[in-house]
Amino acid sequence: MMTRETPYAASIGGGEDEYPQEDPDPQTLDIRGSLTSPFETLSDRLTFPEEQAQLVEIGALYHSGAVTPVLFSDVRHGLKIPLDADNPSGIVTRWRQKDRLKTTAVALVVCLNIGVDPPDVIKISPCARMECWMDPLSMQAQKALDTIGKNLQAQYERWQPRAKYKIHLDPTSDEVKKLVSSCRRSAKSERVLFHYNGHGVPRPTSNGEIWVFNKSYTQYIPLSIYDLQNWMGTPAIYIFDCSIAGQILQSFKQFFAHDMKDTILMCACSELELLPQDPGYPADVFTCCLTTPIKIALHVFCAKSMLGSEGITKDIIDRIPGKQTDRKTPLGELNWIFTAITDTIAWNALPRSLFQKLFRQDLLVASLFRNFLLAQRIMRRVGCTPVSHPRLPLMDQHPMWLAWDMAAETCLLQLPDILDSDKEYVPSPFFSEQLTAFELWLDHGSADKPPPEQLPIVLQVLLSQVHRLRALVLLGRFIDMGSWAVDLALSVGIFPYILKLLQTSAADLRQTLVFIWAKIVSWDMNPQVQNDLTKDGGYLYFIRHLQDDQSDGETTANVESKAQAAFILSAICRKNEKGLNLCVQAGLIDVIVGLLAREKDEELLKWLLILCEEFDEIDHEGILEPFLDHDSPNVRAAAVYSSRGDSWRRKATDGSQLVRHEVVVKALASGTAHAVPSSNGAGEAVHDENLDRLLDDPCLDVRYLAVMCMGGGAGGEGSSRCKLMGPLPKSYQSKKWKKNDSIEYQSPVNYAGEQAMRWPLLGPLAEEEPGAPWLVRQVEERVKESALEVSSLSCRHTYTWELGSPTVVGSTSAAGLEAGEAVLPPPQPGNSERLPLESSACLVLEPWRNEVAVCESSAVRVFGYGGSLIKEYDAGFALHSLFRLNDSHNEVLLCCGAHGVAAYRGYANAEEDITLAASFVPFESRPGNQPVSFAYSDQYLVGSFFAASSTELSLWNLHAERRMRKMVMPTAVRSIDTGKAANVLFTLDINGGVGMLDLRMPAMNTAVLNAVSNGTCIASAMGGCAVAIKGGDLQYFDSRMTSEPLWRVSPGGADSPAAVTCLAGTRLANVVACGTADEFLLLDSRTGERLWQDEVADLAMARFAGGNGIKVATADKNGCLRVYDFA
């Protein structure tokens, strides 16, 4: 398993001019799979046995089991950093209940008039008689009425014990008015519940009236719904248990059509239905469903099932042991399962906003609506359809009801043994099975598929210590899938649950809980969330996590989790004086300082440094100064962000675009961006030369902000001082944004860090290489198992087109070549005018797609075979070389010029926007007219990039985005190229001399190819270097034998030698490509034997690429491109 800190990174030293005299770890990773000492002699090291030829690299892919770097592919490399700071999208805010209510007063009105049936009711015999689970005819009428009233109140108190209950039995109109008016005064602005049982009075009228009694109980008195609502006020919830109760709902809509926002109604049946009289059900079956759901559900289940043969009767249901509030008992577990199922049904069937209003705003209302779903299921069996406002769809046939039936049966079957023999109750497997179903969804689900219906059940499982850890882990996997997943989790009501879990001390939950909070905070950290994390000591949870080094001898908090905790604490402290003071009192500063002294992980260091910016008590210069030169661009940028002195100014020349962007933002925010104090003591101000360099930065955003610093406007003084890159593009000149003290400038490292925290962290890359996410283990089928046999090399296809002005046709087919048939886009219209290529032009060939990129001056164009223009863009500065980085899934085009190097993502995909992933200035001294040359190698697994100008030769680590070494060559360098099969760099000086540098050596000593003094161009190949000699010869040097060439040939023949116009090598096979004035040749690099030729004139350049075989792209001086595909 590779680690993030590679041996190469350790051997090249910590700065540009530091060369380690002794490598503490003498083992150096070799891409061919062997570990060898870096201090062996060159001739002993650079051997090429036949078996090593089987480990052929095709493109950026290595043999299965090797690793390759993925450069410029972090989240930050694809971001467009906004100019000014903005709050996150606010997912938590969206689902936070702004108007959270409580039902604090309950008015119970029972109109039974026991013994006297209403005139419009014809009862069958036998008929339903039970009211609140008692027979009113079993005792005296008044006593029965009182008992029913007490039972009804007790049934409601199970759901809301703290509410004030008032009850009137067989009341008059005035008594109802006094009752509800008193409840409204008591509740104030909270919700009042009005329950009406009208089984002993006539049906509601079409005029909007219900019935009560006169004082002597000789008449039925109508009570207007309009009056009742005026007495009740809002917010209110009404429950009507009577025949044609839906008529009342219609009357409400008629009277208060525009004022029912805070009114909720539940009615036992629709406006055309009568209450059921089935003796197998209670008379108040609707009330039973709402207030005693478990009991009525089990009664109905027993009546419809065949459990009677197992000894299960209705009488045994009342003997189920336990309490509804105790989830470890049978009754409590059934209630828990019922809550989970009804929540799940509602969440999957209702709009999110309606679910929030009915099931998350008020505890009593949520319980009643869960039970209302049961009422739909039970009452529709007896011909009634409960209705409500807001209207709910019918959910009585939802598949989750089958899970309830299974859970009920599992519990009931155990009752005889539990009650008769005290057998221990076996918990239901319901929650474990639902978690398994959720886990299966996670394995195959995505944003494009329906959301997991088990999410509300996962929320309920968090209440259980038995399944809590598994539920949290699965929940973490879910919210890691993106903002849509976080949004769904918050919509189901997870926020208060995980907030409460911060009070737990369970160590096994900590990392998962921190991960979940990091995801939520990355999407929404407004002052309300900050207050939630500070008011009950939630911030202490994350401080303890940072302190958590060991527990019982084992590390419990890994560095990734600590980095997430540091991120959360930085969000808590940002612009939050209360949170800042609480963290200081809790000793967070000492924790930060201790971690900075001993931790090495770059992500953790980044967030610790960002967190340091909030504390004035920290010694910023003493503690943070060393991190300005850290290997990681993120850490360097974070150190700039937190720096308080002037040392951050020198990072204006940093190789990382992120760091330079942070520097210019720091300069803007400090208010002293354009000047530094003069050293002459005259009190004058002079320009900061480091910051002045940013005026010619290859990144337009950095250059634009630098112009704002220096001159206050895109057309002002700062713009006039952009010398090398020229003026800003028109799109930037037209911007109205200017330097303003009221603007909060966006910190790039902070913004990029937040965006990266939102990115999936539990994906395949993290699982495969948890210690080094920037390394990808490649096991692709495309990688061949053996080297190509050049003796039988044949050209399958040749594609030719002219660089005219073709029409943009979009993305070219990348189907490749199968069975010798070419897959080409439709032919483009011919263009009689060719575009000649200058000597500075360059090209790069895609190995796996039929595409080639060509640059000339500052323009880059990507063509499909045949000439279709896929993409065209301008780098902003003159280009000299192109390099393709990474594999086919993370392509980056490295565009290199004398004044800048820029890495672009999305350069070859017509449907993807081009993004500037990274940029830097390759030379300390900007070249004038001197020749420049660039080379790239990924053999060290970090992306080694070489830049040469005059006598300056620099080695860059593209992963660290910094220059690691700088050399002064004895003679000005004209061209460089890396060894294709060895750790060497070949150089060609302006006098035609060729040198070879051993890159493994700390000082990169030069071995001179003595036999060459008049070379014109070089190209490294497998095992050595090809050199074109002035006058027409081509020589090839083995890297192990530098005194004499391995072979010499004359491409034009001994009688008529022809000057070599272009030269290219590859490590895909033992082959060298060269062009002359009238032909293009492929030569065997081992013998110089001519393998293949084509008659073409005036070739200007050639480039190899891999793929299913070998491809060679060429361009002539007349603007004609050719791609040869070899088998």
Side-chain angles (χ1 to χ4, degrees):
M1 181 71 67
M2 291 296 299
T3 60
R4 203 175 291 180
E5 191 172 342
T6 66
Y8 172 68
S11 69
I12 56 182
E16 298 176 2
D17 300 317
E18 297 180 14
Y19 304 105
Q21 300 301 317
E22 181 177 357
D23 191 339
D25 181 5
Q27 296 296 304
T28 298
L29 182 65
D30 175 44
I31 63 167
R32 294 185 178 276
S34 60
L35 290 172
T36 58
S37 169
F39 298 108
E40 293 174 353
T41 63
L42 190 65
S43 58
D44 292 337
R45 168 63 184 87
L46 300 181
T47 57
F48 303 97
E50 290 298 325
E51 60 270 21
Q52 288 198 1
Q54 296 180 0
L55 303 182
V56 176
E57 179 197 15
I58 299 183
L61 305 177
Y62 290 91
H63 187 268
S64 175
V67 291
T68 61
V70 179
L71 300 171
F72 307 129
S73 297
D74 291 343
V75 175
R76 64 181 174 88
H77 289 122
L79 288 178
K80 174 70 174 177
I81 307 294
L83 293 177
D84 55 344
D86 193 10
N87 293 326
S89 59
I91 292 181
V92 177
T93 306
R94 184 188 315 165
W95 296 116
R96 178 186 295 277
Q97 291 296 333
K98 301 181 181 66
D99 303 318
R100 192 171 183 87
L101 296 174
K102 294 181 181 179
T103 301
T104 58
V106 178
L108 303 176
V109 175
V110 180
C111 299
L112 291 179
N113 197 15
I114 298 174
V116 180
D117 293 334
D120 57 354
V121 174
I122 301 176
K123 292 189 176 181
I124 62 175
S125 181
C127 67
R129 294 191 178 276
M130 302 286 285
E131 298 279 355
C132 292
W133 297 104
M134 69 157 292
D135 186 353
L137 301 182
S138 63
M139 60 183 72
Q140 294 181 353
Q142 188 58 45
K143 184 177 180 180
L145 187 62
D146 292 339
T147 302
I148 292 171
K150 292 178 181 179
N151 288 351
L152 180 61
Q153 179 174 335
Q155 290 170 191
Y156 269 106
E157 285 177 339
R158 293 175 184 171
W159 307 106
Q160 181 56 288
R162 297 183 179 180
K164 294 183 178 179
Y165 290 87
K166 295 185 178 181
I167 186 168
H168 265 294
L169 307 173
D170 291 347
T172 64
S173 177
D174 290 338
E175 289 173 337
V176 173
K177 179 180 180 179
K178 292 179 181 179
L179 172 68
V180 297
S181 298
S182 174
C183 288
R184 171 49 60 195
R185 287 193 300 270
S186 174
K188 297 181 181 179
S189 60
E190 299 289 357
R191 181 176 280 121
V192 176
L193 185 147
F194 178 82
H195 179 101
Y196 175 77
N197 181 326
H199 296 177
V201 293
R203 305 167 190 169
T205 69
S206 59
N207 294 327
E209 296 167 328
I210 58 176
W211 297 92
V212 290
F213 302 96
N214 63 359
K215 291 184 178 181
S216 59
Y217 298 100
T218 58
Q219 291 182 334
Y220 298 108
I221 305 299
L223 174 63
S224 172
I225 294 297
Y226 186 87
D227 293 337
L228 176 63
Q229 200 275 346
N230 288 332
W231 301 333
M232 282 279 291
T234 56
I237 177 172
Y238 300 86
I239 297 175
F240 294 100
D241 188 353
C242 58
S243 292
I244 64 171
Q247 180 63 55
I248 304 173
L249 177 57
Q250 298 303 319
S251 298
F252 261 92
K253 291 181 178 179
Q254 180 181 352
F255 295 148
F256 312 105
H258 303 293
D259 191 23
M260 293 188 66
K261 178 182 177 181
D262 297 321
T263 301
I264 298 174
L265 290 95
M266 294 182 178
C267 302
C269 54
S270 68
E271 64 269 25
L272 300 176
E273 296 173 341
L274 301 178
L275 292 178
Q277 298 188 35
D278 189 333
Y281 293 83
D284 63 343
V285 60
F286 184 63
T287 298
C288 289
C289 289
L290 295 182
T291 58
T292 57
I294 304 301
K295 186 173 184 178
I296 185 65
L298 293 180
H299 272 268
V300 173
F301 179 76
C302 287
K304 301 298 182 182
S305 70
M306 296 182 291
L307 294 180
S309 59
E310 303 291 337
I312 308 299
T313 63
K314 292 183 179 181
D315 296 334
I316 206 173
I317 293 174
D318 296 327
R319 300 169 58 195
I320 297 179
K323 298 179 180 180
Q324 287 192 4
T325 56
D326 186 356
R327 291 186 293 272
K328 295 181 180 180
T329 63
L331 184 59
E333 186 181 59
L334 278 176
N335 184 66
W336 185 25
I337 294 173
F338 177 82
T339 300
I341 288 176
T342 49
D343 258 8
T344 300
I345 294 173
W347 187 76
N348 283 283
L350 300 180
R352 299 287 178 257
S353 57
L354 183 58
F355 175 82
Q356 283 283 318
K357 178 180 180 180
L358 301 183
F359 289 83
R360 293 294 180 263
Q361 192 180 69
D362 184 324
L363 292 178
L364 179 57
V365 171
S367 299
L368 292 175
F369 268 99
R370 291 188 192 104
N371 304 341
F372 183 82
L373 302 187
L374 177 67
Q376 282 187 340
R377 189 186 194 213
I378 290 178
M379 297 192 68
R380 278 180 58 79
R381 294 178 177 178
V382 289
C384 286
T385 302
V387 294
S388 66
H389 175 81
R391 181 181 177 274
L392 300 187
L394 291 175
M395 292 174 267
D396 57 305
Q397 298 297 322
H398 195 281
M400 285 301 294
W401 284 120
L402 299 178
W404 164 252
D405 292 340
M406 176 64 74
E409 181 175 320
T410 301
C411 176
L412 291 175
L413 287 175
Q414 297 185 59
L415 286 184
D417 292 336
I418 294 174
L419 297 175
D420 298 338
S421 58
D422 294 331
K423 187 177 180 180
E424 185 177 353
Y425 175 69
V426 178
S428 170
F430 170 79
F431 288 105
S432 178
E433 293 170 350
Q434 293 299 317
L435 287 179
T436 300
F438 183 50
E439 188 171 7
L440 288 173
W441 187 95
L442 290 175
D443 292 337
H444 305 284
S446 67
D448 300 328
K449 297 181 180 180
E453 66 177 18
Q454 299 85 10
L455 202 55
I457 298 176
V458 176
L459 185 68
Q460 289 294 324
V461 175
L462 294 179
L463 300 173
S464 168
Q465 292 185 356
V466 177
H467 304 293
R468 183 175 295 163
L469 177 59
R470 184 186 178 195
L472 276 177
V473 170
L474 296 178
L475 183 62
R477 285 182 57 190
F478 177 69
I479 66 172
D480 188 53
M481 299 178 79
S483 62
W484 62 273
V486 177
D487 186 68
L488 285 176
L490 291 172
S491 72
V492 83
I494 192 178
F495 190 82
Y497 285 74
I498 60 171
L499 185 63
K500 189 174 182 180
L501 283 177
L502 293 180
Q503 308 303 318
T504 183
S505 59
D508 57 340
L509 304 179
R510 189 169 293 170
Q511 289 189 189
T512 304
L513 196 56
V514 167
F515 174 84
I516 292 172
W517 269 107
K519 285 293 181 179
I520 293 176
V521 167
S522 70
W523 287 104
D524 190 354
M525 195 56 189
N526 59 63
Q528 285 183 315
V529 180
Q530 289 178 325
N531 183 60
D532 289 330
L533 291 174
T534 55
K535 65 180 180 181
D536 293 324
Y539 64 97
L540 294 173
Y541 190 89
F542 305 107
I543 295 178
R544 288 193 295 268
H545 191 61
L546 279 179
Q547 293 174 304
D548 188 9
D549 290 330
Q550 288 189 337
S551 176
D552 299 329
E554 295 184 2
T555 300
T556 58
N558 57 36
V559 289
E560 288 85 359
S561 186
K562 285 186 176 183
Q564 293 158 9
F567 162 69
I568 297 168
L569 287 168
S570 70
I572 292 175
C573 295
R574 192 175 307 144
K575 300 181 188 177
N576 181 14
E577 185 175 355
K578 177 183 176 182
L580 193 64
N581 293 334
L582 288 173
C583 288
V584 171
Q585 295 172 12
L588 179 57
I589 293 179
D590 293 336
V591 175
I592 293 173
V593 173
L595 289 171
L596 286 175
R598 65 177 182 271
E599 291 292 347
K600 303 298 182 184
D601 181 77
E602 64 179 63
E603 186 72 8
L604 176 56
L605 290 176
K606 177 185 74 175
W607 285 113
L608 290 173
L609 291 169
I610 291 175
L611 188 53
C612 285
E613 202 275 336
E614 306 293 340
F615 301 101
D616 296 330
E617 296 84 352
I618 289 181
D619 179 13
H620 290 77
E621 291 304 310
I623 296 177
L624 306 185
E625 178 75 18
F627 294 103
L628 289 172
D629 297 314
H630 196 274
D631 281 342
S632 167
N634 287 313
V635 175
R636 300 199 300 273
V640 171
Y641 173 77
S642 297
S643 180
R644 296 291 177 88
D646 288 329
S647 56
W648 55 270
R649 292 176 178 273
R650 64 183 174 86
K651 302 310 294 180
T653 59
D654 195 274
S656 170
Q657 177 178 300
L658 179 73
V659 178
R660 300 194 307 277
H661 196 162
E662 193 67 57
V663 166
V664 73
V665 168
K666 185 85 172 179
L668 280 165
S670 67
T672 58
H674 63 286
V676 293
S678 174
S679 59
N680 58 18
E684 300 177 357
V686 296
H687 284 289
D688 187 330
E689 293 183 359
N690 285 330
L691 294 179
D692 276 358
R693 290 175 66 98
L694 298 177
L695 292 170
D696 289 305
D697 197 271
C699 175
L700 282 174
D701 282 349
V702 174
R703 201 190 321 168
Y704 173 65
L705 292 175
V707 169
M708 295 299 103
C709 288
M710 307 305 175
E717 176 193 355
S719 182
S720 65
R721 291 164 59 198
C722 298
K723 299 177 181 179
L724 300 176
M725 294 294 186
L728 288 165
K730 293 182 179 180
S731 59
Y732 280 82
Q733 293 182 13
S734 62
K735 289 186 177 182
K736 302 300 182 183
W737 185 90
K738 292 186 177 182
K739 183 173 177 289
N740 189 327
D741 292 338
S742 64
I743 293 178
E744 181 187 356
Y745 306 103
Q746 180 64 265
S747 163
V749 68
N750 217 328
Y751 179 82
E754 287 181 353
Q755 299 299 313
M757 201 62 70
R758 298 178 180 184
W759 202 256
L761 302 176
L762 302 177
L765 280 184
E767 292 177 2
E768 182 131 0
E769 293 287 348
W774 57 277
L775 294 176
V776 177
R777 189 172 295 276
Q778 302 288 357
V779 289
E780 304 205 15
E781 297 179 357
R782 310 184 288 205
V783 180
K784 291 188 175 296
E785 297 180 355
S786 60
L788 295 175
E789 180 53 55
V790 298
S791 61
S792 60
L793 201 64
S794 62
C795 184
R796 292 182 290 190
H797 300 284
T798 302
Y799 310 99
T800 305
W801 69 96
E802 300 172 2
L803 290 180
S805 302
T807 305
V808 178
V809 298
S811 181
T812 304
S813 170
L817 305 172
E818 296 181 7
E821 296 181 2
V823 180
L824 293 176
Q828 300 300 308
N831 193 314
S832 59
E833 181 180 356
R834 293 185 178 183
L835 298 182
L837 293 175
E838 299 177 359
S839 60
S840 60
C842 53
L843 57 83
V844 66
L845 182 63
E846 283 291 326
W848 302 108
R849 291 196 303 268
N850 295 337
E851 297 170 3
V852 60
V854 181
C855 79
E856 188 172 13
S857 185
S858 62
V860 179
R861 289 176 287 173
V862 181
F863 294 96
Y865 294 177
S868 58
L869 181 61
I870 297 175
K871 222 167 225 184
E872 184 175 19
Y873 51 96
D874 195 291
F877 51 88
L879 300 178
H880 181 276
S881 301
L882 295 178
F883 299 96
R884 179 186 179 276
L885 312 182
N886 304 340
D887 64 15
S888 61
H889 303 294
N890 303 278
E891 299 102 329
V892 172
L893 187 66
L894 198 65
C895 303
C896 311
H899 301 307
V901 174
Y904 290 96
R905 293 170 60 172
Y907 71 93
N909 189 337
E911 300 177 356
E912 184 179 352
D913 292 335
I914 298 174
T915 305
L916 179 62
S919 64
F920 58 91
V921 178
F923 306 107
E924 280 191 354
S925 301
R926 298 292 179 101
N929 297 322
Q930 303 98 327
V932 294
S933 182
F934 304 93
Y936 169 75
S937 172
D938 57 10
Q939 294 190 25
Y940 284 121
L941 304 176
V942 292
S944 299
F945 177 75
F946 306 88
S949 172
S950 185
T951 60
E952 178 183 337
L953 176 62
S954 298
L955 164 61
W956 289 79
N957 179 334
L958 294 186
H959 174 64
E961 296 180 42
R962 63 182 304 188
R963 179 169 33 229
M964 307 308 297
R965 298 184 188 178
K966 175 186 172 184
M967 293 183 62
V968 178
M969 305 297 290
T971 308
V973 176
R974 179 195 301 175
S975 177
I976 60 176
D977 199 3
T978 55
K980 295 299 189 295
N983 301 312
V984 295
L985 178 72
F986 297 100
T987 65
L988 174 68
D989 62 35
I990 58 174
N991 298 324
V994 177
M996 183 175 66
L997 280 71
D998 184 356
L999 303 180
R1000 300 162 301 155
M1001 297 300 180
M1004 293 200 304
N1005 296 324
T1006 305
V1008 179
L1009 304 185
N1010 297 317
V1012 180
S1013 60
N1014 53 355
T1016 59
C1017 58
I1018 60 173
S1020 65
M1022 182 179 288
C1025 175
V1027 182
I1029 305 299
K1030 186 177 181 180
D1033 279 354
L1034 181 64
Q1035 301 181 6
Y1036 186 85
F1037 288 84
D1038 191 311
S1039 300
R1040 300 162 295 181
M1041 299 178 293
T1042 60
S1043 59
E1044 293 293 332
L1046 184 64
W1047 48 260
R1048 292 185 178 92
V1049 297
S1050 295
D1055 298 333
S1056 57
V1060 175
T1061 58
C1062 67
L1063 193 60
T1066 178
R1067 58 181 164 191
L1068 307 178
N1070 293 304
V1071 62
V1072 175
C1074 70
T1076 66
D1078 54 10
E1079 63 180 346
F1080 174 60
L1081 307 173
L1082 287 186
L1083 305 177
D1084 190 327
S1085 64
R1086 297 168 296 187
T1087 63
E1089 178 186 355
R1090 182 175 297 200
L1091 301 174
W1092 182 87
Q1093 67 184 45
D1094 188 20
E1095 294 183 1
V1096 294
D1098 297 326
L1099 284 186
M1101 68 191 82
R1103 179 66 68 92
F1104 277 96
N1108 185 20
I1110 289 181
K1111 299 177 184 177
V1112 185
T1114 66
D1116 63 31
K1117 296 178 181 180
N1118 297 318
C1120 182
L1121 284 178
R1122 293 177 178 84
V1123 176
Y1124 301 94
D1125 178 43
F1126 293 94

